[in-house]
Amino acid sequence: MTDITTVAVLGTGVLGSQIAFQTAYSGFAVTAYDISDDALAAARERFARLAATYRAEVPGAAEDGKADLALMRLTLTTDLSVAAQADLVIEAVPEVLDLKRDVYNKLGKLAPEKTIFATNSSTLLPSDMVEFTGRPDRFLALHFANRVWKFNTAEVMGTTHTDPAVFATVQEFATEIGMVPIAIHKEKAGYVLNSLLVPLLNAGMGLAAGGYASVEDIDKTWRIATGAPLGPLQILDVIGLTTPYNILTHSSTGDEKLATWLKETYIDQGKLGVATGEGFYKYA
């Protein structure tokens, strides 16, 4: 067992809310932070939907009331100083370096020395952010896959400054919340998962944007030919289209033309994926 008892998650978007709920479901007291009351109102709706999903999909979640207990362990706040008091802070704000810099500059001044900082960034390296944290030995990346209760990998990646004991603690914490920790031995943009996944997603968008095949046929081809349960554009709808847009516009491997197509065709029309009822597909 680790010494971690309280956890804060910064950012209550699709994945941030999942990380917070899974951590609370596993018995930890969790503070979920976001920047506005409107964001927290949306987070409450996400947590309620997650509780329903866990009751339906996670063995035992309905019978023993664990999903409802998880909701009781969650505290929502717009006060970063409250979140900073946790033993572990998991940052899940949008993939924009300037935004992350601002968060860590504030967080580093508020949090006690014992607090471990972990970024869930899917494209930025921890070394891109380490100088902002004020605690290079207690900072690393902890990356989750979407639908954490089902696809339960947790990739752990440090920098050359990360204390090995902190690395080991975060691996153990991942196990405690039901994840399978994957140790990344040196920094790699995209870790293991996204190094494999992002080229697929970009290829799917490129085929759709270029008019080579319909959205449905692109996904159908991938599903039939590989046996995968979802095609690349279906996966993007689950992730939410703002995340790939941010990656396309702000990462070193971005694609401005593809980002513009995604923004004008989908995002500007309010088609952000499953969460909004429509993305590449329509949802009930």
Side-chain angles (χ1 to χ4, degrees):
M1 296 289 290
T2 68
D3 293 330
I4 296 170
T5 59
T6 59
V7 178
V9 178
L10 311 185
T12 58
V14 172
L15 196 50
S17 59
Q18 291 181 25
I19 296 167
F21 191 87
Q22 176 68 25
T23 304
Y25 184 80
S26 302
F28 291 83
V30 179
T31 299
Y33 164 86
D34 220 313
I35 58 173
S36 70
D37 290 337
D38 287 344
L40 294 187
R44 288 187 182 91
E45 294 181 4
R46 288 193 187 95
F47 289 139
R49 290 197 298 269
L50 282 168
T53 298
Y54 274 55
R55 292 187 202 104
E57 297 185 14
V58 178
E63 290 81 359
D64 59 15
K66 282 185 69 175
D68 296 314
L69 287 172
L71 290 172
M72 295 174 63
R73 295 189 188 102
L74 283 162
T75 301
L76 280 70
T77 185
T78 58
D79 184 354
L80 187 59
S81 65
V82 174
Q85 300 306 308
D87 299 316
L88 170 66
V89 175
I90 302 172
E91 169 266 306
V93 304
E95 295 285 85
V96 180
L97 184 58
D98 287 344
L99 181 57
K100 292 182 185 288
R101 178 189 293 113
D102 181 60
V103 168
Y104 282 116
N105 283 338
K106 293 175 181 175
L107 189 64
K109 296 172 184 176
L110 294 168
E113 291 183 5
K114 68 169 186 173
T115 303
I116 297 170
F117 293 170
T119 180
N120 182 59
S121 175
S122 58
T123 57
L124 296 168
L125 294 172
S127 59
D128 293 333
M129 295 167 271
V130 65
E131 66 180 275
F132 315 144
T133 68
R135 58 193 69 205
D137 59 326
R138 302 184 71 77
F139 172 69
L140 75 178
L142 177 61
H143 182 250
F144 296 80
N146 201 31
R147 297 177 65 84
V148 300
W149 62 94
K150 184 176 182 181
F151 306 123
N152 59 325
T153 58
E155 297 171 285
V156 185
M157 181 168 69
T159 72
T160 56
H161 303 288
T162 304
D163 185 335
V166 170
F167 192 97
T169 293
V170 172
Q171 283 187 286
E172 180 61 26
F173 166 77
T175 301
E176 291 173 357
I177 62 169
M179 300 294 105
V180 177
I182 307 296
I184 311 298
H185 302 301
K186 57 183 180 180
E187 284 190 289
K188 172 70 172 73
Y191 311 79
V192 173
L193 175 60
N194 282 326
S195 292
L196 298 168
L197 181 61
V198 169
L200 168 67
L201 302 184
N202 286 350
M205 286 189 287
L207 289 168
Y212 297 103
S214 69
V215 165
E216 292 78 8
D217 282 348
I218 292 165
D219 283 340
K220 185 189 302 181
T221 301
W222 185 255
R223 293 196 309 269
I224 294 173
T226 68
L230 298 175
L233 302 169
Q234 289 174 299
I235 294 171
L236 284 162
D237 270 358
V238 173
I239 294 169
L241 302 192
T242 55
T243 295
Y245 174 75
N246 285 332
I247 293 171
L248 288 167
T249 53
H250 295 289
S251 75
S252 59
T253 58
D255 184 324
E256 184 177 347
K257 184 177 180 180
L258 198 55
T260 299
W261 169 81
L262 186 63
K263 181 177 184 295
E264 292 179 350
T265 309
Y266 294 96
I267 294 175
D268 287 350
Q269 313 305 318
K271 300 175 182 179
L272 306 183
V274 173
T276 59
E278 186 174 1
F280 291 106
Y281 297 87
K282 291 184 178 180
Y283 303 89

